[in-house]
Amino acid sequence: MASHSPALTPAHTPAHRKKRIALTGSGSGSGSPGAPRTTRTTTSTTSTTRTTARIGVTLVLASAATVSLFGEAGNAAPQLTPDQVRAKVAALYQQAEQATQDYDGAKEQADTASSAVSALQDQLARKTAKLNSTRDALGSIAAAQYRSGGIDPLLQLALSSTPDTYLARASYLRQAGTQQSQALTRLAAQQQDIAHTRSLAAGRLAALRDAQSRVADHKRTVTAELTAAQALLAQLTAAQRAAVAAADGPAPASDAAAPATRAAVRAPLAPVTTASPRAARAVAFAYRALGLPYVWGATGPHAYDCSGLTQAAWRSAGVSLPRTTYTQINAGHRISRSQLQPGDLVFFYSGASHVGLYIGGGNMIHAPHPGSPVRVAPISEMPFAAAVRPG
């Protein structure tokens, strides 16, 4: 049978107990022979602890000094070259373009919801006025019955001394009863209609508030991306910034610019042959927009963003396009790059976040980004995604 007596561990040996006492004794002079040894051991331990602490503090201070001397140089962001700045700015503009399309879509939804809310509110006002008229009619009938003393009018007429009067008025009162019944039925229907309209208005109002919230979020995103791009451009010299701007085409002509200058900016590069008269009108509109500034969210007539320009160009030709690149890409017949003809819409990047109007010869007219006006550019300057022929 196994023994149940506890095993003797080193912690329970007499020698170990003496060692523990020596390390933890108070040194208060208890009169025991081991007391002086306890005092010396405690003093030695305290001295060792203080030495270790001093060494630790010294190491921390040395480390801090090292960080202070070399940390800034080691953590400082490397100076970007003009080409690196240009690439980063282009990436920020692309991100801003995506956010702009999201903003445009949310803004369109907010505008639609706002119009719907206004229309429903007008309906409610008209329906409420009709409801009040019905209530007034019922009130008049009730007042007439009250004035009759609460006795059935037909009974009152039956007691009349003139039978001819009874017969004439009985027909009138039956008609009045029918009117009362019709008024009550009409009142119930109007109440149900108003409740339904109010429910629709509440749904539209909720959609409006949601769209307005998304508009604000996308606006903050666009602003942040554009601010970051401007901060990067500020790192360049004036000459370098001018070179970046020159790569985007001519600056927008001011109102004070000579008409000849603006005409030169907007002049077609070559005769354009289009697939249809409507496409020709869209291309002509885009040429007239050359030199106008890019403003995100703008649909003209004095400024445009990319999808605002293509929408306005085709609207001038009598074709209604949706507001954003994400919806315009489905507003026509999808064609291949080899099938492009002037007037076609060309989309770029994997998310189709940018659009231009093809004008032939491998070129398009588009609104690039803030600081760059509506201009002619090769479609090869951005990653091609798809092409659509409206109309």
Side-chain angles (χ1 to χ4, degrees):
M1 180 180 295
S3 173
H4 294 282
S5 60
L8 189 61
T9 63
H12 296 87
T13 62
H16 185 78
R17 282 198 297 272
K18 290 180 180 179
K19 184 176 180 180
R20 190 191 304 175
I21 292 172
L23 291 175
T24 60
S26 64
S28 59
S30 60
S32 63
R37 189 183 300 113
T38 301
T39 302
R40 285 195 300 272
T41 303
T42 303
T43 303
S44 174
T45 302
T46 303
S47 175
T48 301
T49 302
R50 290 174 180 171
T51 302
T52 302
R54 283 196 297 272
I55 293 173
V57 171
T58 302
L59 290 174
V60 169
L61 292 175
S63 175
T66 302
V67 171
S68 128
L69 289 174
F70 303 107
E72 292 184 3
N75 294 330
Q79 186 67 31
L80 298 177
T81 66
D83 287 342
Q84 289 173 327
V85 169
R86 187 179 296 110
K88 284 183 174 291
V89 167
L92 287 168
Y93 279 147
Q94 181 191 347
Q95 294 168 14
E97 188 70 57
Q98 292 174 342
T100 297
Q101 293 306 307
D102 293 335
Y103 168 88
D104 290 343
K107 180 70 164 53
E108 184 179 40
Q109 292 174 358
D111 291 343
T112 300
S114 179
S115 298
V117 168
S118 297
L120 288 169
Q121 287 175 338
D122 289 342
Q123 289 182 30
L124 278 173
R126 291 193 298 270
K127 290 176 180 179
T128 300
K130 291 181 179 179
L131 178 70
N132 291 335
S133 297
T134 302
R135 284 175 172 165
D136 290 343
L138 285 170
S140 298
I141 294 174
Q145 290 180 349
Y146 176 78
R147 285 194 297 272
S148 70
I151 302 175
D152 190 323
L154 291 175
L155 179 59
Q156 291 182 356
L157 285 174
L159 298 177
S160 172
S161 58
T162 308
D164 292 339
T165 304
Y166 167 78
L167 292 174
R169 293 186 179 180
S171 174
Y172 167 77
L173 287 174
R174 279 195 298 270
Q175 182 181 1
T178 301
Q179 290 176 347
Q180 178 177 340
S181 176
Q182 291 176 345
L184 288 171
T185 302
R186 187 167 61 251
L187 179 66
Q190 288 173 338
Q191 288 174 331
Q192 290 178 349
D193 189 27
I194 285 177
H196 178 66
T197 304
R198 281 177 177 163
S199 177
L200 290 177
R204 289 291 188 177
L205 186 59
L208 172 60
R209 289 172 177 167
D210 178 67
Q212 288 173 332
S213 176
R214 285 185 284 110
V215 165
D217 289 342
H218 296 316
K219 183 176 182 179
R220 283 191 292 269
T221 300
V222 173
T223 302
E225 300 289 358
L226 295 180
T227 299
Q230 292 303 314
L232 281 172
L233 288 173
Q235 298 178 11
L236 301 178
T237 65
Q240 290 169 338
R241 287 196 296 272
V244 172
D248 284 333
S254 65
D255 293 337
T261 301
R262 197 157 183 83
V265 171
R266 294 186 174 185
L269 300 181
V272 175
T273 302
T274 61
S276 68
R278 287 183 297 187
R281 288 195 291 271
V283 170
F285 181 96
Y287 270 111
R288 290 194 298 272
L290 285 174
L292 291 176
Y294 176 105
V295 174
W296 65 273
T299 57
H302 305 298
Y304 297 94
D305 63 16
C306 71
S307 56
L309 174 63
T310 52
Q311 183 188 48
W314 273 98
R315 183 171 57 239
S316 72
V319 177
S320 178
L321 291 181
R323 177 63 182 93
T324 69
T325 60
Y326 310 133
T327 50
Q328 287 183 9
I329 199 171
N330 296 315
H333 305 291
R334 192 72 64 91
I335 58 175
S336 66
R337 187 168 182 169
S338 62
Q339 296 173 313
L340 282 172
Q341 295 185 24
D344 293 340
L345 303 180
V346 281
F347 298 86
F348 302 92
Y349 303 107
S350 59
S353 59
H354 190 76
V355 65
L357 190 76
Y358 189 70
I359 59 172
N363 293 316
M364 65 177 170
I365 293 176
H366 73 139
H369 55 73
S372 182
V374 175
R375 67 184 180 96
V376 175
I379 64 173
S380 59
E381 75 174 9
M382 289 179 287
F384 182 85
V388 167
R389 183 165 297 156

